[in-house]
Amino acid sequence: MVSAALASILRSGRADLNARFAAARRIHPDLEADAFSEFLRTAEDDLAQTVEKARADRLSEVTMVAYDAALELVGQKLAGPGSRLASVEEAWRRILPKAAGLVATAPGRVIPAVCNAVHQLASTPGARPAQWIEIMAELGQECADAEAFLKLGQVAAWRAGLAHFRPGAIAASDALPEARVLAALGAKSGSSWAEVRKRILANPWFDPAKAAKNSSTLRVVARAGSFRGFGGLFIEPPLVASSGEHFLVRSDQERWLLTADVFGATFHRASVKEFEAAAAERRWPAGLQMSGSRVVLDGDRVEFPELGDFSSAAANGATLALTSRLTHSILLLALK
Amino acid sequence: MGLRNTFQRVSRSPTNPHPSSAPSPFDVADLYRGPVSTQGDARDEGAPPLDEKLRQAYFWIVNSAIISPHYDVEYNEGPPQAFVLGDSRSRLTLPSGQSYSSFVLLPLLTFATRRKCLFIGGPGRGKTASAILMGVLAGYSVREVRRAMQHGHPQMTIADLLGNPLPADLVNAQRIEDIRISWRQWLGMRVKVIDEYNRIPTRTQSALLTVMGDNYAEVLNHIYECPDSAWFLTANDEQGGGTYQVIEALRDRIDIVVQALAFNPRFLADLLTRIEENIRPEEVVPRQIIFTEAEVDRMQEEIRAVTVPGEARRRLEFFASHFEFCEVAADQFEYKTKDTARLAGVEWHTLAAQDTGRDRLKDLGCQTKNGLSVRVLMTLLIYAKALAYFRGNRVVELEDVRQVLPFVLHDKLSPDIEAPFFEAPGNSVFRADRVGWLRKVLDLSCADYDRLNLERDDPVAVLAAEFRLGLDGLSENDTRGRLVKIERLITEWSKGRKLYGHLYDDLLKLKYLHQRYTNYLRWLKTQ
């Protein structure tokens, strides 16, 4: 059974909605009527009920958009019983009803955006969709409009591990109220966005949640990537080269761009040419020395005897990336 | 979403991804792209490059409009899987690269280059539907395209085709200039569709020829200038059938011939859906793939800017040089061509019987009754560029030439089916398979090119390159030296070598160079 409001809309648009289901089934032959009905009865009905309370006049449009989105999600086994990614439905259930007022004003933007964003996070190794859902469920409802809601989502996605969105997320942060940005980034209480922003731009390893001043201690900040047999990307232990503020990675015949900061590390397909160009142009920070499995920076010393000799090393102003023949992970050391 | 939207889905970019040359910047807005369609997706994405839009149009047509499971324009990125089947050892290949259906691809390239395409094939195979789609892609409504379509029939007059003088003017006018003409609307359209053109009477075909060839129409001394347009013609039987024989000049104006292949009954379910849902693809063309006039103009410019590298051009030159030469057609060297014999009305079999002891199996020129015209070569280059552009490249590959060549030459290079080549084991199939034959001839030509090592050792190319540097400042001694080089080369070639088409063209080129140097030397002596 569904709520009376949703039932009424489904009844009034019955022929059209049935036709939409038939059309969706042609694109996604695995779309099961039972699974779709279940999603309608639960997730979509929850949303309909909260929208009815917030903006009853917009319920019809919200329902239609939600219906189409649900068809696509259930058809691709991204929601409903037997879905491949639990986090998509979780985001729907936890974020959308709470932000019902915003959903009502722009359902065509907000509903797909939430589903697509969490799908992207769930599909990116190392990203944390649960953290994104948590932030959006808590802060999303406070946004003044859909535009602000979507910007908040971008900032939250960066914090949840999508390091490659760092510049865009910083720009999005500038357009949001300070308190909301700081909350989204988990900044220590009493911080100001201007100060946090300055330090974030100066050092990708600065963590707004910690009060630590710039540390000169050479330290391990991340281990990125893993063996394909364990769900990672690499067939064989990788090699690295520096590419501006990022790194390029080679493993067997494949090349990747690695972006990394305090919130996460992500890999993106790159070409052989890009890797070769980066490998040929090696830059090395002054004062950084390596010997065997030891790294020394201005007197600070770190040793990794378990890794044996490094097979490759690359550095930019803030990060040192190291690889070894004994591991499929890339060791990232902060230099700031 | 809805049913119409299902048919209006356009393939997501990039439709033919290439390895990027530089790391692409990350856009935080991409966070919201994913499995769920966003309202206004098309608005958010900026206008794609025109080659991408063309590919999107192609994929929409093959996925949603024309049920066309034939992938006969094959590209490979690495060795393809190949299988031999049946008693006749038919070969089926599974291409390893993005391959295309000629029936959709070539009309689309015709649309992009504003050339002339003829659809051939039995009735009910989608020829007219495909032509209508091209009109819709140009921004016309289905109704406009249908109304503007000219249907050939045995009673079709010039007035039916072009327009009528106004009856009142016919009565009242004192001078012919005063008679106003009511021109037919289709003349002003940028996509012109002539259905069953081989049913048009001969006299009306001549009027059509003027419009097709010279882009204007004439009635009672009044002229209507037509815009540049893409032409799509259909014929049920191109090989001389139809109500009227198509005049040769009209056939010659057609740039490319595409065959509508048979429907595969395995796709009957798709037809059933069309019937049940009452969907006509031409009525649901997504607006993202509709081209404005300015876009087609720009696309033409971009296609023209695609470069043809020297290597591909040389192989094409070598291929084209096989066919025109006919040693027994004339005494004077320049007239030793099949065209000389044709103009003189000499019977083809008489010429073939007089042949001079060349290896008629090896000589590719023996397979045809004619050579290639300048118009055909230009068309071939344009379509090769268009295909490279469609694939997202800015340089033509030999494979692009190889893929378009059979469709451009389909009606232009006449096979001599009595030639020894067609008698050879396994070759009799090429008497009916024009596309396969033409591709085979190009492959044989390229093999010959490799055998002669012309890529590395091409003395005529060296001499031509030397000449292209210019004559300014060339001394008398150097000029004489070059003349001697040319004469020595001809002397060397004359020692016991049989004369083939490519050698004939090389010799004519050497004669040209020799003449230019001779004239220059003569001028130099007067200074």
Side-chain angles (χ1 to χ4, degrees), chain A residues 79-109:
Chain A
S83 82
R84 294 182 280 119
L85 291 175
S87 43
V88 176
E89 188 167 337
E90 191 189 344
W92 181 299
R93 287 169 176 273
R94 291 195 55 199
I95 300 170
L96 295 177
K98 281 192 176 176
L102 294 170
V103 173
T105 55
R109 294 182 71 196

Side-chain angles (χ1 to χ4, degrees), chain A residues 45-319:
Chain A
D45 194 33
D46 290 350
L47 178 61
Q49 289 181 47
T50 51
V51 170
E52 193 199 10
K53 284 177 193 156
R55 289 282 304 272
D57 60 316
R58 303 284 297 159
L59 182 58
S60 175
E61 188 180 343
V62 171
T63 301
M64 290 302 175
V65 172
Y67 185 92
D68 283 345
L71 281 173
E72 293 190 270
L73 290 173
V74 178
Q76 294 173 72
K77 300 262 183 273
L78 295 173
S83 82
R84 294 182 280 119
L85 291 175
S87 43
V88 176
E89 188 167 337
E90 191 189 344
W92 181 299
R93 287 169 176 273
R94 291 195 55 199
I95 300 170
L96 295 177
K98 281 192 176 176
L102 294 170
V103 173
T105 55
R109 294 182 71 196
V110 174
I111 295 173
V114 167
C115 299
N116 289 340
V118 79
H119 175 262
Q120 192 167 148
L121 281 151
S123 316
T124 305
R128 301 174 293 280
Q131 187 179 18
W132 189 82
I133 293 169
E134 203 66 48
I135 296 168
M136 294 304 290
E138 186 186 333
L139 303 175
Q141 57 195 311
E142 296 169 14
C143 292
D145 54 28
E147 192 62 36
F149 179 88
L150 297 180
K151 282 196 172 3
L152 178 71
Q154 293 169 341
V155 179
W158 172 37
R159 186 173 171 212
L162 302 189
H164 54 291
F165 287 151
R166 175 185 168 82
I170 292 172
S173 300
D174 291 338
L176 290 171
E178 181 174 29
R180 203 156 301 133
V181 174
L182 293 172
L185 295 177
K188 192 172 74 69
S189 61
S191 311
S192 76
W193 168 236
E195 178 60 21
V196 169
R197 186 182 196 280
K198 190 174 155 192
R199 297 185 68 179
I200 281 173
L201 288 175
N203 180 6
W205 300 107
F206 167 72
D207 185 352
K210 294 178 184 166
K213 293 177 183 171
N214 282 346
S215 168
S216 60
T217 311
L218 193 60
R219 61 197 188 282
V220 175
V221 283
R223 286 174 196 270
S226 61
F227 176 48
R228 185 167 291 177
F230 298 149
L233 294 173
F234 304 136
I235 291 172
E236 62 180 37
L239 299 172
V240 285
S242 169
S243 173
E245 57 184 323
H246 307 308
F247 295 96
L248 283 156
V249 183
R250 174 184 149 189
S251 172
D252 192 38
Q253 299 301 310
E254 296 177 322
R255 311 291 187 275
W256 304 87
L257 180 75
L258 164 63
T259 66
D261 71 1
V262 68
F263 293 132
T266 57
F267 291 90
H268 311 269
R269 287 267 177 202
S271 68
V272 174
K273 205 185 279 180
E274 287 167 53
F275 181 85
E276 284 172 356
E281 193 183 321
R282 192 183 187 213
R283 281 164 295 174
W284 202 246
L288 180 63
Q289 293 178 323
M290 285 176 43
S291 162
S293 59
R294 182 188 307 156
V295 181
V296 181
L297 175 66
D298 297 333
D300 283 340
R301 172 185 300 195
V302 194
E303 197 147 353
F304 303 95
E306 74 279 11
L307 298 181
D309 289 354
F310 298 123
S311 54
S312 71
N316 55 38
T319 313

Side-chain angles (χ1 to χ4, degrees), chain B residues 318-332:
Chain B
F318 184 74
F319 168 81
S321 67
H322 293 298
F323 306 111
E324 189 58 66
F325 175 61
C326 179
E327 196 168 358
V328 296
D331 180 48
Q332 190 174 338

